[in-house]
Amino acid sequence: MFTGIIETLGSVQRIERAGGGMRLAIEMEADEPLRLGESVALNGVCLTAAAVPSDCLWEADVSLETMRRTALGDLRPGALVHLERALKADGRIGGHFVQGHVDETGIAARLSPEGAGMLLDVRVSSDGMRYLVEKGSVSVDGVSLTVASLLPDGFQVALVPHTLEKTTFARRSAGSRVNLEFDILAKYVERALTYRPNGGVGAELLKAQGYMR
């Protein structure tokens, strides 16, 4: 479990591709050494430290399913990535609950200045739009952000100077893919309303009883 508060930027040192998946070697700075088997969110994707050759280097395997679902396949050696280690039980939750389970990739469509910060427009699929609500939370490449406004084909977020300094968003080019994880609450609510074993309560029944429109 993560919070979407990026701890540090890492750099891709090496990529080995095999069988449709790949192994990444990531250089990172950490206050305490990474342990073998530890979970780390890399651009919002929960990965396991499969090898830790040194205090500043770790390796992770990326499965074929993760390659299909995320934008990790777009990475190249030298690329900067967002890194967050798993949440400690006694830590502060500064963002929102993020699982590191990417729902889909979106497109960073436009980055425009606004005051001291910037606005980022992200295009999403029509299926993904149902999980978005204005002023709700969304994880973009592992960063917990607030939906400033909804767009016909996506959403817009405001990036304050601190976020621009600590992330790679200011370096992104229009058209690049980003990993999206929608708010876990929205997904569970949808599941509860649509899963109807033996004709249980669902959205249609709630509408018929006047609880939904």
Side-chain angles (χ1 to χ4, degrees):
M1 185 71 74
F2 308 92
T3 68
I5 304 299
I6 302 305
E7 294 184 45
T8 186
L9 294 180
S11 62
V12 179
Q13 297 298 300
R14 187 176 68 256
I15 299 177
E16 299 174 0
R17 299 179 185 271
M22 64 182 183
R23 171 167 279 216
L24 295 173
I26 306 296
E27 185 179 57
M28 68 177 289
E29 294 183 5
D31 294 335
E32 57 183 81
L34 198 67
R35 299 186 304 275
L36 188 67
E38 188 172 338
S39 294
V40 181
L42 187 155
N43 280 0
V45 182
C46 181
L47 298 177
T48 300
V52 186
S54 71
D55 288 348
C56 297
L57 189 70
W58 61 283
E59 300 178 7
D61 294 311
V62 182
S63 69
L64 182 59
E65 164 64 12
T66 301
M67 295 286 286
R68 284 193 295 258
R69 185 64 71 104
T70 73
L72 292 190
D74 298 344
L75 293 175
R76 296 294 181 268
L80 294 178
V81 292
H82 301 153
L83 297 174
E84 180 189 358
R85 298 172 77 168
L87 172 67
K88 291 184 177 180
D90 61 349
R92 290 189 175 92
I93 303 173
H96 71 285
F97 283 125
V98 176
Q99 294 181 297
H101 303 160
V102 172
D103 293 299
E104 64 176 63
T105 58
I107 300 296
R110 186 178 66 161
L111 192 64
S112 54
E114 184 188 56
M118 306 194 81
L119 295 174
L120 173 64
D121 293 359
V122 180
R123 292 204 308 266
V124 305
S125 69
S126 56
D127 285 341
M129 285 295 293
R130 70 183 186 271
Y131 299 121
L132 295 166
V133 60
E134 190 169 317
K135 309 310 176 190
S137 297
V138 63
S139 170
V140 181
D141 269 354
V143 183
S144 174
L145 295 170
T146 300
V147 177
S149 60
L150 294 174
L151 305 174
D153 60 351
F155 62 94
Q156 185 178 79
V157 291
L159 304 175
V160 298
H162 179 78
T163 301
L164 291 170
E165 178 184 351
K166 298 298 183 180
T167 68
T168 64
F169 289 134
R171 305 176 179 89
R172 296 297 177 86
S173 58
S176 60
R177 291 199 302 163
V178 291
N179 296 318
L180 300 177
E181 181 183 332
F182 303 117
D183 193 344
I184 187 173
L185 177 61
K187 292 181 284 187
Y188 274 114
V189 168
E190 180 188 56
R191 179 63 170 168
L193 291 175
T194 58
Y195 181 62
R196 292 182 288 169
N198 304 318
V201 176
E204 293 181 3
L205 179 59
L206 291 174
K207 288 178 181 178
Q209 297 297 321
Y211 292 103
M212 293 179 61
R213 293 183 178 181

